[in-house]
């Protein structure tokens, strides 16, 4: 019935729900499923941030409607964060807005800026809100295939711009990327900004994984590029860097025009986050940062155990330089199954849940995504289960072929 509604029609059923449903059924049968399915951090928020929330919530003057753009002191903390990390100068009044998690900000920015007849360029595969935020707003999505070689991206981008009419209005980027874990250097963003200026396209860059970087890699901000503020905005989220996914705190910085557009639409839609959450967000950004290092080290250790284990059992995977994911090319022996069937098989036979790559777009169908949200012990257990499944299947194949 809901398929009759025009915006719902533009939203295919969430592929991840198929695996989630099977996972829930298996758990209801009492099976122990090792779950790498979501990008949902499993650790608690650092204590000093929780304490600041409690202390502020105890004050009676913090319970009223807040400000939908974010309290000025938080917007200042955000601009200071950019200055400290990237030496980027931003004005808290014109270049920064607080969002209820970056997902809310992305969706409402789309609603504020595009509509039917507009075309938006989005890499494929991509984190679902990147295309669907704009699809919900009524725009047409033009996929820019994002393969393993980033050099090909610019050729694909130029082609997508040339082949689109009406001319694309926006380009969405996400580096370090979910789900592909791809990383870029500043020169990449310099090229993007030049293309955007030449073609008069807005750029929306999602920097959610800025802090989850390994082996000395540093993720650049698009706003470091000279003149980027004229054509681009960047989203950041406290969800991953500070283990705060449930708090719903993010922000968007950059172009004054896009900040004003998002501020206008949000002023109709919300009264801002609960003030104590905003005050606690200041404590996160300005307080001790060793918690960020600890969180990063934890993901790096999990990454190493998972990747080393998969490689040792004959599933070649690369160690990502950033994010909390491993984007694993499905082993050749299973590839023809496609990512959904392979994920179902891993779930039913190895008791391991992953996200099928198809859920991030058709160009993701040869991959599955592991979220590094299980501890080392359970990660090792998962590797043993996958190894057993591979051994059974390969053994049967060898027997069938008389080997
Ligand atoms: C690339 C990317 N952007 C945004 C988000 C959502 O972040 P938030 O919790 O701030 O809405 C995620 C969460 O997984 C993500 O992977």
């Amino acid at each position: 019935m809901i398929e009759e509604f025009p915006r719902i029609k533009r939203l295919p059923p969430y592929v991840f729900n198929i695996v989630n449903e099977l996972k829930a059924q298996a758990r209801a049968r009492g099976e122990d499923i090792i779950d790498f399915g979501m990008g949902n951090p499993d650790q608690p928020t650092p204590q000093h941030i929780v304490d600041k929330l409690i202390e502020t919530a105890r004050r009676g003057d913090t319970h009223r409607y807040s400000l939908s753009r974010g309290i000025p002191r938080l917007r200042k903390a955000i601009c200071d964060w950019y200055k400290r990390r990237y030496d980027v100068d931003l004005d808290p009044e014109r270049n920064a807005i607080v969002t209820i998690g970056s997902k809310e900000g992305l969706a409402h920015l789309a609603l504020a800026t595009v509509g039917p007849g507009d075309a938006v360029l989005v890499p494929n595969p991509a984190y679902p809100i990147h295309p669907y935020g704009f699809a919900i707003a009524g725009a047409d999505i033009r996929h820019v295939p994002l393969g393993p070689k980033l050099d090909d991206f610019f050729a694909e981008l130029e082609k997508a711009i040339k082949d689109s009419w009406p001319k694309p209005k926006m380009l969405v980027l996400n580096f370090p990327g979910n789900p592909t874990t791809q990383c870029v250097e500043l020169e990449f963003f310099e090229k993007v900004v030049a293309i955007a200026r030449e073609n008069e396209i807005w750029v929306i860059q999602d920097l959610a994984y800025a802090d989850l970087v390994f082996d000395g890699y540093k993720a650049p901000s698009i706003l470091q590029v000279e003149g980027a503020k004229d054509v681009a905005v960047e989203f950041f989220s406290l969800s991953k860097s500070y283990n705060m996914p449930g708090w719903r705190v993010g922000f968007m910085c950059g172009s004054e025009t896009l900040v004003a557009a998002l501020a206008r639409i949000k002023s109709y839609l919300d009264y801002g986050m609960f003030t104590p959450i905003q005050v606690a967000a200041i404590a996160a950004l300005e307080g001790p940062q060793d918690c960020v290092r600890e969180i990063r080290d934890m993901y790096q250790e999990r990454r190493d155990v998972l990747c080393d284990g998969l490689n040792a059992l004959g599933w070649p995977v690369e160690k990502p330089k950033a994010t909390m994911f491993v984007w694993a090319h499905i082993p050749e022996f299973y590839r023809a199954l496609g990512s959904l069937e392979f994920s179902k098989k891993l779930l039913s036979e190895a008791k391991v849940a992953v996200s099928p790559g198809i859920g991030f777009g058709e160009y993701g169908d040869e991959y599955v995504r592991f979220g590094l949200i299980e501890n080392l012990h359970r990660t090792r257990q998962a590797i043993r289960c996958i190894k057993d499944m591979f051994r059974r299947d390969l053994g049967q194949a060898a027997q069938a072929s008389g080997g």
Side-chain angles (χ1 to χ4, degrees):
M1 288 300 271
I2 62 167
E3 302 301 330
E4 288 169 26
F5 302 127
R7 282 196 190 82
I8 300 293
K9 258 195 231 162
R10 297 177 69 87
L11 298 176
Y14 219 42
V15 178
F16 303 122
N17 282 349
I18 301 171
V19 182
N20 287 341
E21 191 61 35
L22 292 172
K23 189 164 64 188
Q25 288 168 9
R27 284 192 169 140
R29 287 193 299 271
E31 291 176 20
D32 176 23
I33 302 296
I34 305 172
D35 191 0
F36 300 99
M38 276 184 78
N40 193 352
D42 58 311
Q43 297 294 307
T45 305
Q47 195 58 45
H48 69 280
I49 304 172
V50 178
D51 288 344
K52 181 55 86 176
L53 171 84
I54 295 169
E55 176 196 320
T56 317
R58 284 214 169 97
R59 276 171 33 201
D61 62 344
T62 59
H63 300 172
R64 308 185 70 190
Y65 291 129
S66 194
L67 282 175
S68 121
R69 287 197 300 149
I71 57 176
R73 182 65 184 78
L74 176 54
R75 280 184 279 122
K76 179 181 179 300
I78 289 164
C79 295
D80 292 346
W81 182 88
Y82 259 103
K83 181 71 186 166
R84 248 189 342 266
R85 293 173 63 110
Y86 301 112
D87 198 22
V88 169
D89 290 302
L90 297 169
D91 176 348
E93 278 308 303
R94 295 181 299 127
N95 302 121
I97 179 166
V98 176
T99 61
I100 307 172
S102 45
K103 204 171 175 183
E104 178 271 333
L106 281 157
H108 284 142
L109 178 69
L111 207 56
T113 55
V114 300
D118 288 328
V120 178
L121 301 167
V122 187
N124 183 323
Y127 178 59
I129 195 68
H130 294 157
Y132 288 110
F134 292 90
I136 290 168
D140 292 329
I141 307 305
R142 305 260 184 276
H143 294 297
V144 185
L146 186 59
K149 278 199 261 144
L150 264 183
D151 288 348
D152 298 342
F153 181 75
F154 285 103
E156 295 284 359
L157 179 60
E158 302 266 13
K159 184 169 171 316
I161 294 171
K162 218 190 296 167
D163 290 351
S164 293
W165 187 262
K167 215 161 59 78
K169 192 166 181 178
M170 286 196 176
L171 164 66
V172 184
L173 295 177
N174 167 214
F175 293 106
N178 174 15
T180 67
T181 74
Q182 277 162 313
C183 296
V184 297
E185 300 298 334
L186 189 58
E187 299 80 64
F188 181 95
F189 287 140
E190 284 168 354
K191 262 182 162 171
V192 167
V193 169
I195 293 172
R197 281 178 167 285
E198 190 186 323
N199 295 280
E200 297 183 344
I201 297 173
W202 295 107
V203 183
I204 319 298
Q205 144 70 2
D206 183 345
L207 188 59
Y209 296 99
D211 286 313
L212 304 191
V213 288
F214 316 123
D215 310 326
Y217 171 69
K218 277 204 177 116
S221 155
I222 196 169
L223 299 181
Q224 287 173 280
V225 179
E226 181 87 35
K229 259 185 288 180
D230 300 337
V231 293
V233 283
E234 190 161 71
F235 279 90
F236 181 70
S237 167
L238 273 66
S239 299
K240 317 290 167 147
S241 301
Y242 300 94
N243 280 337
M244 294 171 69
W247 295 55
R248 314 309 302 128
V249 193
F251 50 82
M252 184 189 93
C253 291
S255 153
E256 185 175 350
T257 308
L258 293 185
V259 167
L262 182 56
R264 174 81 65 88
I265 203 162
K266 276 173 68 66
S267 71
Y268 281 85
L269 295 172
D270 69 69
Y271 283 119
M273 261 177 293
F274 186 39
T275 300
I277 293 181
Q278 299 196 47
V279 175
I282 299 169
L285 294 174
E286 295 186 347
Q289 298 296 302
D290 7 334
C291 54
V292 180
R293 201 180 48 245
E294 282 161 20
I295 291 166
R296 173 193 308 145
D297 290 348
M298 178 192 73
Y299 286 121
Q300 179 162 338
E301 209 178 351
R302 290 176 179 183
R303 173 201 72 161
D304 289 344
V305 167
L306 180 65
C307 291
D308 291 344
L310 291 176
N311 281 315
L313 69 81
W315 182 349
V317 292
E318 261 180 49
K319 283 187 183 174
K321 275 195 298 183
T323 77
M324 54 183 292
F325 305 109
V326 171
W327 183 237
H329 204 188
I330 299 173
E332 218 171 322
F333 181 72
Y334 296 104
R335 207 167 291 154
L337 285 177
S339 60
L340 182 58
E341 287 310 311
F342 180 64
S343 301
K344 285 186 191 169
K345 186 174 165 63
L346 274 179
L347 186 69
S348 64
E349 296 178 26
K351 311 298 172 206
V352 167
V354 296
S355 292
I358 186 79
F360 304 98
E362 42 281 69
Y363 290 92
D365 202 21
E366 288 192 358
Y367 292 80
V368 292
R369 190 195 72 178
F370 287 81
L372 298 169
I373 52 168
E374 289 280 15
N375 65 32
L376 298 179
H377 169 70
R378 290 191 44 93
T379 302
R380 289 194 185 98
Q381 191 183 331
I383 288 162
R384 285 193 294 275
C385 296
I386 296 171
K387 189 173 172 182
D388 289 345
M389 183 184 106
F390 279 22
R391 201 180 279 154
R392 280 193 302 272
D393 290 341
L394 290 166
Q396 275 169 13
Q399 248 180 12
S401 67

